[in-house]
Amino acid sequence: MAIQNFVREEINSVFDDCYAIKIYDNNHKTIFEKGTKEFDKILQLWQITVNSGYEMPAFGVSIHELTIEDMQKGLHIEFLFDKLNYHNEMPFDSLLLKLQENQYGYQLIRHYEDKYQGRCFYVNTTEINNDLYDYIQSLTAKKD
């Protein structure tokens, strides 16, 4: 359990350095900068969502072209960082995830050197929490 908590804290701690959050809603992009109420709420809900989760070995590998194609539909969140970060010796300057209703886990796709390419991270959650999904849906509904 102590190792699990250490890993969870390590992957979660990187989100403290996030400077903006980009939402992709069926290819419509919206950016929320650090300090805005939307940014703060998204980050708070993300931390609550993964708080009881734990990192698992990720079997997913991102292929840039396929990831870009997938981002054209559905909801995606991208956490943007102003510096290069490393986790498990893998570099990234942003982390992208697909957001769906009733998820039990999240594949975090690494962006590095202008590509969504390579091994991913995976955070498994112990329960379904749709609060983040619902909030993002409410933000994107306002754009229509």
Side-chain angles (χ1 to χ4, degrees), residues 3 25 55 96 106 108:
I3 291 174
D25 176 29
E55 190 171 359
L96 174 76
Y106 300 88
L108 303 173

Side-chain angles (χ1 to χ4, degrees), residues 42-103:
I42 292 168
L43 203 56
Q44 175 191 29
L45 290 171
W46 169 250
Q47 293 291 356
I48 290 168
T49 299
V50 298
N51 186 42
S52 65
Y54 51 94
E55 190 171 359
M56 298 279 294
F59 296 113
V61 174
S62 176
I63 299 170
H64 181 73
E65 293 77 16
L66 296 177
T67 299
I68 294 296
E69 184 179 314
D70 190 47
M71 290 166 65
Q72 307 297 312
K73 56 192 179 299
L75 282 178
H76 293 77
I77 301 175
E78 187 170 16
F79 296 94
L80 307 172
F81 306 97
D82 59 1
K83 66 176 183 162
L84 189 61
N85 289 287
Y86 289 86
H87 181 65
N88 291 342
E89 300 178 12
M90 294 186 288
F92 59 92
D93 53 28
S94 74
L95 292 172
L96 174 76
L97 63 97
K98 186 169 191 164
L99 188 61
Q100 299 172 315
E101 196 170 23
N102 300 325
Q103 283 181 268

